[in-house]
């Protein structure tokens, strides 16, 4: 039984990219964060603190496969995020909180892509169904 458990855990293990690749991603993430800061954005780099912050979040996913890379996401004030979630859970997708959240999220997504593009980065959709406004950045 214990052996079966270890085999199941191994199936879900995420392989990390090489140290050289992660260093390359970290360098790119630093340049992305610097470009956004120069444009006037508040930039955060700690994905583990995302729920308590607002502004642009820039982070590196160390996964070896296509899930890995450098990502950017716009973080709205946590109180607005909570209000939008509460509205959605109640089926109130026409509430002012939900509409405001949606408007800001959609516009900041396209704005961040445009700003990153103007700074020389290749930025586009992160192709993540669980996070539809996730931006993937390449050098």
């Amino acid at each position: 039984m214990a052996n079966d458990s270890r085999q199941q855990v191994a199936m879900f293990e995420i392989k990390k990219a090489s140290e050289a690749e992660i260093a390359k991603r970290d360098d790119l993430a630093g340049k992305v964060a610097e470009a956004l800061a120069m444009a006037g954005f508040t930039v955060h780099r700690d994905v583990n603190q995302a729920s308590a912050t607002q502004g642009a979040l820039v982070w590196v996913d160390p996964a070896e496969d296509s899930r890995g890379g450098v990502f950017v996401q716009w973080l709205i004030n946590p109180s607005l995020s909570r209000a939008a979630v509460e509205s959605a859970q109640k089926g109130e997708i026409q509430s002012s909180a939900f509409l405001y959240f949606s408007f800001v999220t959609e516009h900041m997504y396209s704005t961040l892509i445009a700003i990153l593009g103007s700074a020389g980065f290749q930025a586009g959709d992160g192709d993540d169904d669980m996070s539809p406004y996730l931006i993937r950045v390449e050098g």
Side-chain angles (χ1 to χ4, degrees):
M1 184 76 155
N3 192 26
D4 290 341
S5 297
R6 277 183 266 147
Q7 287 175 341
Q8 288 175 345
V9 170
M11 288 181 8
F12 297 108
E13 187 174 320
I14 297 172
K15 290 189 177 189
K16 286 187 175 182
S18 69
E19 287 184 29
E21 176 62 24
I22 292 172
K24 183 177 160 185
R25 291 177 192 175
D26 283 335
D27 182 57
L28 176 59
K31 290 175 182 173
V32 167
E34 181 180 345
L36 291 174
M38 288 179 69
F41 291 100
T42 299
V43 180
H44 305 280
R45 296 287 310 270
D46 188 350
V47 72
N48 295 315
Q49 298 295 319
S51 64
T53 59
Q54 58 193 27
L57 174 65
V58 178
W59 81 96
V60 171
D61 185 325
E64 178 182 58
D65 59 14
S66 63
R67 291 176 292 185
V70 176
F71 297 94
V72 176
Q73 188 170 12
W74 185 251
L75 302 175
I76 292 179
N77 183 285
S79 64
L80 178 56
S81 295
R82 281 191 299 277
V85 167
E86 289 171 9
S87 292
Q89 288 173 337
K90 294 176 186 175
E92 299 171 353
I93 59 171
Q94 294 301 314
S95 73
S96 60
F98 189 82
L99 292 173
Y100 184 42
F101 174 89
S102 298
F103 181 88
V104 171
T105 301
E106 290 172 15
H107 283 80
M108 290 309 298
Y109 170 79
S110 59
T111 298
L112 287 167
I113 289 174
I115 288 171
L116 290 167
S118 73
F121 299 101
Q122 295 175 3
D125 187 65
D127 196 28
D128 184 339
D129 293 339
M130 298 302 289
S131 189
Y133 295 101
L134 183 65
I135 300 167
R136 177 184 293 273
V137 182
E138 298 176 4

